[in-house]
Amino acid sequence: MAEKITKEQVFDAIRKVIDPEVGFNLVEMGLIYDAIIDDDNNVKVVMTLSTRGCPLHQMLTQWVKDAVKELPGVGEVEVEVVWEPAWNISMADDNVKKALGAL
């Protein structure tokens, strides 16, 4: 049995996924809400997007799935996009807020 994957490992993997519109990764943007890992290392990532009409919706969710699949021992990967709570700039890291003029 492979070692249990941790939420930290999942978030670290997703840090490689950059939102091309703003140039920051999805974790520091505050778009990744949770990662649920079961006993078989199947991972469900709960995330949102900055806008409902995001033209990169399919690409970003696929990139998240691909990044998590690179973890050794990972099983199935599912990405669920939710709209509650709605994302806002206050959820982002301070460096993102500063770069986007919100700090």
Side-chain angles (χ1 to χ4, degrees), residues 22 24-33 48 50 86-100 102-103:
V22 291
F24 292 102
N25 74 59
L26 303 186
V27 174
E28 64 185 340
M29 289 281 298
L31 296 171
I32 306 301
Y33 288 165
T48 194
S50 55
W87 181 86
N88 65 70
I89 192 66
S90 72
M91 297 169 152
D93 289 351
D94 285 347
N95 64 316
V96 175
K97 291 178 197 166
K98 187 179 283 184
L100 299 179
L103 190 63

Side-chain angles (χ1 to χ4, degrees), residues 3-103:
E3 253 184 68
K4 180 99 167 99
I5 292 173
T6 66
K7 190 178 289 198
E8 290 75 24
Q9 288 173 301
V10 173
F11 274 65
D12 283 345
I14 298 170
R15 284 182 205 283
K16 297 176 194 146
V17 181
I18 306 296
D19 182 331
E21 291 184 321
V22 291
F24 292 102
N25 74 59
L26 303 186
V27 174
E28 64 185 340
M29 289 281 298
L31 296 171
I32 306 301
Y33 288 165
D34 200 4
I36 302 145
I37 303 115
D38 72 13
D39 291 338
D40 295 322
N41 280 338
N42 296 312
V43 178
K44 179 179 182 177
V45 176
V46 180
M47 65 176 285
T48 194
L49 300 168
S50 55
T51 60
R52 278 187 188 257
C54 178
L56 302 172
H57 182 140
Q58 298 290 36
M59 284 173 41
L60 288 172
T61 54
Q62 187 61 51
W63 292 343
V64 167
K65 188 180 280 194
D66 292 346
V68 175
K69 282 183 176 177
E70 289 179 12
L71 290 171
V74 76
E76 295 295 313
V77 179
E78 176 189 350
V79 178
E80 179 183 4
V81 176
V82 297
W83 301 109
E84 294 294 327
W87 181 86
N88 65 70
I89 192 66
S90 72
M91 297 169 152
D93 289 351
D94 285 347
N95 64 316
V96 175
K97 291 178 197 166
K98 187 179 283 184
L100 299 179
L103 190 63

